[in-house]
Amino acid sequence: MQFIDLKAQQKRIHAQLMENISRVLEHGQYILGPEIKELEKKLGDHVGVKHAVSCASGTDALLMALMAYGVGPGDAIFTTPFTFVATAEVISLLGATPVFVDIEPDTFNMDPDRLGDAVAALKERNPGKHPLPKGLEKLTARGIIAVDLFGQCADYGRINRVAKEHGLFVIEDAAQSFGAEQDSAKACSLADMAATSFFPAKPLGCYGDGGMVFTNDDGLAMKLDSIRVHGKGSDKYDNVRIGINGRCDTLQAAILLAKFAVFPEEITLRQEVASRYNNLLGPIGGITCPVVRPGNLSAWAQYSVLCGNRDAALDALKEARIPTAVYYPKPLHVQGAYAYLRYRAEDFPVSMKSAAGIFSLPMHPYLEAQDQAMIADVIQKAYK
Ligand SMILES: *Cc1c(COP(=O)(O)O)cnc(C)c1O
């Protein structure tokens, strides 16, 4: 059994993949070739956003979004400690400071009430109101990166309201949520900018690294286009700002075009797989199934459950040769890389508790009912 079975999908679309790859080999425009524009148009239309700028990875997508806002030293960016490190890493790379905000215990996404507290505490320089990082005296609140963890969108209605009240921008880290929806709007359209990833294991993945930034703002889109190619102006030898080499390969775009043809159907299949898990695991005492809030459709990047005795479940699943993963075993505020912020473990109790009890089960559109029944059986026995 595979944790994420990419082979089953490949078998389905093999002919189209080969045709698309061959076309790139024929025209030879490996960098910013015609497939790049085609993919940007298709995905931009799909999510309902005016500008889609492809790039080299989800990490670069986040980095480029922050660079387009001119984020730098002295800027505070609010995000959660219960995420993949890339979300906070890009803030630090630019010399800005991540200000962590705890998550909701059921969705694992940023808690909008705590966000309001954190912004107010920073403005008042009052760490008694909400935990703040070292160096808070010199920080100015600039923006928010909310994360759509495991495929479910964060609560953008409330997060955008806090942002507006305080004059902050909002970036949606949609690396795990491409294909998700909230109140009939698509993930990647829910904030000022969005960043997604095409890492192979993500809901829409390529065969290497890739990413995309989305925005309706013409000015920001122009900056993204420039930042992606070394801060180009009228051409790449006219450099008007500091940029990066953030381009997406044409071959990856060609692969994504073949995969995108079946993607909407795969999102539907993911709902079926998730609901089978819910039915099988729901009745098992000691397991808490994922909660999808009303108005949300998850892209199910992961199917993650909470449990009291994780080791018992993980040992039994390992014994039965069922792959599992723990996302994330250690929240960012207790990682060595972020020791310089001088947070204490107990500053974000919901993140700590989630990290101690969570694990993810095999999840992909082609997971079969009989395999899921077997998984549930192993877990049930582990808890007897
Ligand atoms: C995967 C991921 C990223 C980074 O994407 P890459 O394409 O691997 O650079 C960023 N944020 C989150 C939440 C992710 O899951």
Side-chain angles (χ1 to χ4, degrees), residues 196-213:
T196 198
S197 163
F198 304 127
F199 181 79
K202 309 283 178 175
L204 180 64
C206 58
Y207 291 150
D209 279 308
M212 199 170 274
V213 193

Side-chain angles (χ1 to χ4, degrees), residues 57-59 62 83-84 86-87 147 173 175-176 197 199 202 209-210 328:
S57 69
T59 306
L62 288 165
T83 178
F84 182 56
T87 314
V147 184
D173 181 343
Q176 301 182 10
S197 163
F199 181 79
K202 309 283 178 175
D209 279 308
Y328 295 92

Side-chain angles (χ1 to χ4, degrees), residues 51-66:
H51 304 284
V53 181
S54 63
C55 61
S57 69
T59 306
D60 275 357
L62 288 165
L63 181 67
M64 285 165 48
L66 290 176

Side-chain angles (χ1 to χ4, degrees), residues 151-346:
Q152 174 170 215
C153 299
D155 188 344
Y156 289 96
R158 290 164 68 207
I159 290 169
N160 287 337
R161 216 173 305 138
V162 174
K164 203 161 176 195
E165 191 182 319
H166 294 280
L168 308 175
F169 63 75
V170 182
I171 296 170
E172 178 184 0
D173 181 343
Q176 301 182 10
S177 65
F178 193 83
E181 294 177 19
Q182 182 163 84
D183 300 327
S184 307
K186 292 267 200 289
C188 296
S189 75
L190 300 167
D192 299 310
M193 283 214 237
T196 198
S197 163
F198 304 127
F199 181 79
K202 309 283 178 175
L204 180 64
C206 58
Y207 291 150
D209 279 308
M212 199 170 274
V213 193
F214 298 87
T215 185
N216 280 315
D217 185 302
D218 297 342
L220 289 172
M222 188 273 292
K223 285 184 183 162
L224 290 169
D225 187 53
S226 164
I227 290 164
R228 173 171 68 174
V229 185
H230 304 291
K232 70 172 171 149
S234 52
D235 64 65
K236 71 171 162 177
Y237 303 111
D238 174 34
N239 311 107
V240 297
R241 58 173 60 77
I242 300 297
I244 61 173
N245 173 0
R247 299 169 306 231
C248 178
D249 293 346
T250 309
L251 271 171
Q252 298 303 342
I255 287 157
L256 285 164
L257 284 167
K259 289 194 173 205
F260 186 64
V262 296
F263 182 73
E265 190 194 328
E266 288 185 343
I267 287 290
T268 305
L269 290 171
R270 284 173 185 274
Q271 308 311 313
E272 290 167 16
V273 172
S275 96
R276 283 201 298 262
Y277 265 141
N278 291 342
N279 293 337
L280 287 161
L281 301 174
I284 302 178
I287 290 273
T288 307
C289 293
V291 171
V292 178
R293 292 269 178 87
N296 283 276
L297 181 87
S298 177
W300 294 109
Q302 303 296 340
Y303 187 92
S304 306
V305 300
L306 282 172
C307 63
N309 187 356
R310 180 168 66 192
D311 287 346
L314 291 184
D315 288 349
L317 287 162
K318 191 172 177 192
E319 182 92 354
R321 311 177 89 215
I322 294 161
T324 56
V326 174
Y327 302 118
Y328 295 92
K330 203 170 171 189
L332 300 184
H333 71 289
V334 290
Q335 293 280 1
Y338 283 109
Y340 76 98
L341 297 176
R342 304 278 171 83
Y343 282 112
R344 297 165 311 162
E346 61 270 28

